[in-house]
């Protein structure tokens, strides 16, 4: 018991720092959501969300990402147990789910662009691509980070610093999940309502 | 877009300066850099610079570097100001002055940008680095390596801004680059991109600093220092850093969106295509107004320390000061619309923001009265920092009253974009922020160098600044009321404005003499350092922990981590010593401090490459910069040996040396 207490105080600085970083990222997304809210009706004669969004594929994206959050949680439980194999296994699954999510998103983006509805088309589409794309960029960063951490776990095991880094990574991953819930609601579900 | 594939992007020889004025600017920048390089080579100081300064993770060293860069930028942006004043004093009627319209616009854009981002922010982060860890009885900040990255990002921003003098041109769209003027259609050159990327890079540095200092204050206070025992400067830093954390991401987003518009043909702020340019103005001020308080809060903290110490009294109304800071933090996010009452949001919205703006004057007023009551019946020492405070209190109150006047929407409709406004915000920022940081530099100078600044020259500098300021800006209040708008490069003789512009020009000249006197003051003080040496470590009879260390402060700050049980802990310690209470024996313990690291510099260089590549649309350079920055971070993450161990005996010896012979202790 006393051992864990010591570990906690030692890690409190980086973890608090990371919480504050996540708060700043939250403000960043809040600004993008605000931008989207201002521009979503400015379709400039182009399509609006109702015509554009395919809710089925977005639901698939959502389920994939939510599942990845769950498997990320399982990976962290395994890491805290000191079970290296399970940690690696669950992070690999999380990684694959993340890649699936990105692929689905990229397919959607490519489809829009091919139909001539790129970010150049209207204020609405600029805001859409930037908001959803920034989330996708974060997912990409998270996946790269996960790859690096997988190498670290494989080569160095589950030391204190590695666990701390994994904790930050999982915080980041869950945070992106929460942001996606807002994107799903505000962008896609709101967009599905007929104008 | 197409240029991105080109090896050199939009870059070509045509981008080098063509006309004499820009060529002069470019020559100054190149000449200055060369002169420094030659001097370093001649005096064989490269290695010293690299080992002792550039790669240092000691917050005191990083703090000094911030301040040096900020002072150089103050001179640069000061020259910009003189050129504007000279233009306005000579460009009347048939005479058109010495600057072209476009060049004049670049100069006022650069002046504002540099003064806010690279002078005021630089001085602020420098002072926080120097003073805050010592005031909370800590040896370091929470993330020393992150601190170094933040500084080098700041420096990359500085380089980008100044590079625009040599290659290409700077933004001519004002310091906040409102669209649609700043959109590609109306500003097709690279100027706005330079503006975007220098602020993007420096802004991310500020964000990192905000996270770092906030974590430091929350987790690294010495034993016994509960929140309500923190020095007021620390409180003010905490408030300012909270604002940084909440406001700077908005700046990052806003700049990015503008860049997306300009580069990828998006429609966030364009006049057509479904863009909304007023959204830019809202976003930029949702960052910009808190930014004003980010700059001023630490200056308020400085004054709280200076006034209490130099009045030999404890600070009056400590608790109300703390509440005033947090009231300002909260309210600063509710007033942004007063920057554009003329947008046409309607009477209700304007009324709301007018009232919140007037309300924010209340906590500020509380602070003013607390300082005055601190002085009341104190034994006031009229040293230079106190003079800066007195100048501040007079000018700041006048500027503040002008601000409350501008908070009335109908009045603002008359004065919007006039020189009255220019006079108002210069009164707030020069007398508030600059005077505050000048007071701070004078006050804490001996702590970090071991000798005091020359008092006589400091006094001369103060009077030059005060008189120069009044001469330079009172005419602007009057001109604004007469209808003169800001950013004028020419006006008709029939307006009758000419004499007032002449007076303002003379005032600017006197301020320049004041700045020159300050530089002279530092040189003279270094030459006469023996005479002004501070052997006690406590030249002002201070109250807070930093004065309990020898001067100059040793690299480990405190040989023994202090424990406190009251506000003004050093004052309490001195009182206890007078009563001859028995001393406890000193127990030294081994400590770890971070080793030097050059990776912060590499990350700064790579970020510069990203910025430069983005300005000139050179894709490969951006990719190289990105890969370089990420790999540098990875290298650092897997470096094991990052700490320097100092054993208890070593520390004891160092401490003994520092206390008997301060110069040698500063290893």
């Amino acid at each position: 018991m006393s051992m864990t207490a010591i570990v906690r105080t030692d890690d409190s600085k980086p973890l608090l720092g990371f919480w504050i970083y996540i708060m700043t990222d939250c403000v960043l997304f809040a600004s993008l959501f605000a931008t989207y809210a201002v521009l979503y009706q400015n379709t400039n004669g182009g399509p609006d969300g109702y015509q554009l969004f395919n809710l089925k594929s977005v639901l698939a994206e959502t389920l994939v990402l939510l599942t990845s959050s769950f498997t990320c949680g399982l990976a962290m439980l395994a890491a805290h147990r000191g079970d290296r194999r399970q940690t690696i296994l669950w992070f690999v699954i999380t990684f694959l789910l993340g890649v699936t999510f990105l692929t689905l998103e990229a397919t959607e983006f490519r489809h829009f662009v091919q139909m001539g509805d790129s970010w150049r088309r209207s204020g609405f589409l600029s805001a859409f691509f930037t908001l959803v794309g920034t989330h996708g960029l974060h997912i990409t960063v998270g996946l790269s980070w996960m790859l690096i951490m997988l190498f670290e776990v494989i080569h160095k095991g589950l030391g204190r610093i590695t666990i701390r880094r994994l904790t930050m990574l999982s915080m980041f991953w869950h945070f992106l999940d929460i942001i996606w819930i807002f994107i799903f609601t505000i962008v896609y579900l709101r967009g599905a309502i007929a104008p | 877009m197409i240029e991105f594939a080109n090896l050199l992007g939009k870059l070509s020889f045509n981008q080098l300066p063509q006309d004499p004025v820009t060529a002069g600017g470019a020559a100054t920048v190149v000449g200055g850099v060369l002169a420094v390089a030659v001097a370093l080579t001649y005096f064989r100081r490269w290695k010293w610079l690299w080992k002792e300064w550039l790669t240092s993770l000691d917050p005191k060293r990083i703090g000094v570097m911030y301040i040096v860069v900020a002072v150089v930028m103050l001179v640069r942006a000061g020259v910009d100001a003189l050129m504007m004043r000279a233009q306005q004093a000579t460009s009347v009627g048939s005479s058109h002055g010495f600057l072209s319209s476009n060049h004049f616009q670049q100069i006022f854009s650069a002046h504002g940008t540099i003064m806010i981002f690279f002078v005021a922010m630089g001085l602020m982060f420098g002072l926080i680095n120097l003073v805050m860890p010592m005031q909370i009885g800590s040896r370091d900040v929470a993330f020393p390596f992150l601190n170094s990255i933040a500084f080098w990002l700041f420096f990359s921003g500085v380089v980008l801004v100044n590079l625009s003098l040599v290659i290409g041109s700077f933004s001519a769209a004002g310091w906040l680059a409102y669209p649609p003027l700043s959109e590609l259609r109306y500003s097709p050159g690279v100027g706005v991109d330079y503006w975007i990327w220098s602020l993007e890079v420096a802004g991310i540095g500020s964000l990192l600093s905000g996270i770092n200092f906030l974590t430091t204050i929350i987790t690294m206070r010495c034993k016994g220092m509960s929140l309500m025992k923190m020095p007021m400067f620390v409180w003010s830093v905490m408030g300012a850093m909270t604002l940084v954390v909440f406001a700077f991401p908005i700046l990052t987003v806003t700049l990015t969106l503008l860049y997306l518009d300009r580069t990828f043909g998006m429609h966030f702020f364009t006049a057509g295509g479904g863009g909304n340019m007023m959204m830019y103005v809202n976003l930029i001020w949702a960052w910009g107004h808190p930014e004003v308080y980010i700059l001023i809060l630490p200056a308020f903290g400085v004054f709280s320390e200076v006034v209490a110490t130099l009045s030999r009294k404890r600070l009056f109304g400590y608790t109300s000061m703390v509440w005033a800071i947090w009231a300002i933090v909260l309210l600063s996010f509710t007033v942004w619309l007063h920057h554009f009452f003329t947008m046409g949001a309607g009477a209700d919205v304007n009324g709301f923001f007018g009232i919140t703006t007037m309300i924010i004057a209340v906590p500020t007023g509380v602070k003013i009265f607390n300082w005055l009551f601190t002085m009341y019946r104190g034994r006031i020492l009229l040293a230079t920092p106190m003079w800066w405070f007195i100048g501040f209190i007079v000018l700041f109150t006048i500027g503040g009253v002008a601000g409350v006047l501008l908070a009335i929407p109908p009045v603002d409709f008359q004065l919007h974009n006039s020189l009255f406004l220019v006079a108002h915000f210069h009164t707030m920022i020069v007398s508030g922020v600059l005077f505050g940081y000048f007071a701070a530099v004078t006050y804490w100078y001996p702590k970090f160098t071991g000798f005091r600044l020359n008092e006589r020259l400091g006094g001369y500098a103060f009077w030059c600044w005060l008189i120069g300021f009044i001469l330079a800006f009172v005419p602007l209040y009057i001109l604004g009321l007469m209808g003169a708008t800001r950013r004028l490069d020419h006006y008709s003789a029939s307006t009758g404005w000419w004499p007032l512009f002449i007076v303002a020009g003379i005032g600017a000249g006197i301020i320049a003499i004041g700045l020159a006197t300050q530089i002279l003051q530092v040189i003279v003080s270094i030459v006469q350092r023996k005479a002004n040496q501070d052997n006690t470590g406590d030249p002002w009879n201070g109250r807070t922990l930093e004065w309990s260390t020898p001067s100059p402060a040793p690299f480990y700050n405190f040989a023994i981590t202090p424990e406190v049980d009251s506000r003004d802990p050093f004052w309490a310690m001195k009182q206890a010593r007078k009563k001859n209470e028995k001393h406890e024996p000193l127990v030294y313990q081994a400590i770890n401090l971070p080793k030097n690291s050059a990776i912060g510099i590499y990350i700064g260089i790579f970020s510069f490459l990203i910025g430069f590549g983005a300005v000139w649309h050179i894709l490969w350079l951006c990719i190289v910069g990105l890969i370089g920055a990420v790999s540098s971070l990875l290298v650092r993450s897997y470096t094991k040996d990052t700490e320097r161990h100092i054993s208890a005996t070593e520390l004891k010896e160092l401490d003994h040396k520092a206390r008997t012979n301060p110069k040698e202790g500063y290893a």
Side-chain angles (χ1 to χ4, degrees), chain B residues 303 391-392 395-396 426-436 469:
Chain B
F303 286 131
F392 152 79
L395 294 179
F396 196 78
H426 278 85
T427 316
M428 305 318 273
I429 293 185
V430 174
S431 81
V433 179
L434 266 190
F435 282 19
F469 185 88

Side-chain angles (χ1 to χ4, degrees), chain B residues 260-597:
Chain B
L260 291 176
D261 267 8
R262 290 176 56 85
T263 314
F264 299 100
M266 291 202 188
H267 295 289
F268 284 105
F269 313 123
T270 49
N276 184 340
M277 60 198 86
M278 282 322 292
M279 186 171 68
Y280 179 91
V281 183
N282 272 290
L283 282 171
I284 200 86
W285 283 113
W287 157 81
H289 202 88
E291 164 69 7
V292 177
Y293 288 96
I294 290 168
L295 298 177
I296 201 96
L297 280 177
F300 285 170
V302 168
F303 286 131
S304 302
E305 302 294 328
V306 165
V307 169
T309 306
L310 298 191
S311 303
R312 300 272 180 281
K313 273 178 69 186
R314 52 184 280 190
L315 185 68
F316 183 91
Y318 180 95
T319 315
S320 65
M321 283 297 218
V322 173
W323 282 106
I325 288 174
W326 290 99
I328 291 174
V329 167
L330 196 69
L331 285 171
S332 70
F333 277 106
T334 64
V335 300
W336 79 90
L337 194 127
H338 71 211
H339 295 272
F340 44 97
F341 279 140
T342 51
M343 173 173 78
D348 293 344
V349 174
N350 282 358
F352 174 84
F353 283 95
I355 290 165
T356 53
T357 306
M358 291 178 211
I359 291 175
I360 206 168
V362 175
T364 318
V366 166
K367 298 182 82 67
I368 302 265
F369 282 110
N370 279 340
W371 290 317
L372 293 178
F373 285 131
T374 307
M375 289 173 82
Y376 178 65
R377 302 186 74 171
R379 245 179 284 160
I380 297 169
L381 179 67
L382 274 178
T384 320
M386 191 52 123
W387 281 117
W388 288 115
F389 170 74
I390 293 170
F392 152 79
I393 207 105
V394 174
L395 294 179
F396 196 78
T397 308
I398 296 171
V401 172
V404 175
L405 191 65
L406 283 167
I408 304 165
V411 176
D412 184 79
F413 270 66
Q414 295 298 313
L415 295 170
H416 185 78
N417 261 353
S418 74
L419 285 177
F420 187 90
L421 168 83
V422 172
H424 158 69
F425 72 70
H426 278 85
T427 316
M428 305 318 273
I429 293 185
V430 174
S431 81
V433 179
L434 266 190
F435 282 19
Y437 295 155
F438 289 160
V441 169
T442 326
Y443 179 68
W444 278 299
Y445 192 86
K447 181 46 61 194
F448 301 100
T449 59
F451 54 95
R452 300 165 71 139
L453 281 172
N454 186 302
E455 271 291 312
R456 178 187 287 263
L457 285 169
Y460 291 160
F462 165 73
W463 287 107
C464 284
W465 271 91
L466 187 75
I467 295 167
F469 185 88
I470 291 168
L471 284 177
F473 289 96
V474 171
L476 298 197
Y477 279 112
I478 303 167
L479 282 165
L481 289 172
M482 290 164 80
T485 52
R486 69 197 291 199
R487 296 166 178 168
L488 269 184
D489 60 85
H490 183 75
Y491 49 93
S492 155
S494 62
T495 51
W497 296 340
W498 192 47
L500 285 168
F501 274 118
I502 298 273
V503 175
I506 294 169
I510 297 175
I511 293 177
I513 297 171
L515 183 56
T517 314
Q518 285 172 301
I519 294 167
L520 185 70
Q521 179 195 19
V522 173
I523 296 170
V524 167
S525 308
I526 292 174
V527 173
Q528 305 176 339
R529 61 184 176 277
K530 288 257 158 56
N532 299 320
Q533 205 161 330
D534 165 33
N535 293 318
T536 58
D538 181 23
W540 306 106
N541 198 359
R543 315 178 72 84
T544 37
L545 285 175
E546 75 272 26
W547 304 110
S548 68
T549 64
S551 295
F555 63 90
Y556 46 82
N557 285 3
F558 302 94
I560 296 165
T561 323
E563 272 182 44
V564 303
D565 53 12
S566 66
R567 278 173 209 160
D568 295 348
F570 184 50
W571 185 260
M573 270 181 238
K574 286 190 283 189
Q575 298 302 317
R577 229 173 274 166
K578 272 187 194 158
K579 283 184 209 147
N580 273 333
E581 281 174 19
K582 64 173 179 183
H583 284 284
E584 286 172 34
L586 302 174
V587 184
Y588 292 91
Q589 281 179 326
I591 55 172
N592 282 334
L593 285 171
K595 279 185 178 169
N596 283 10
S597 165

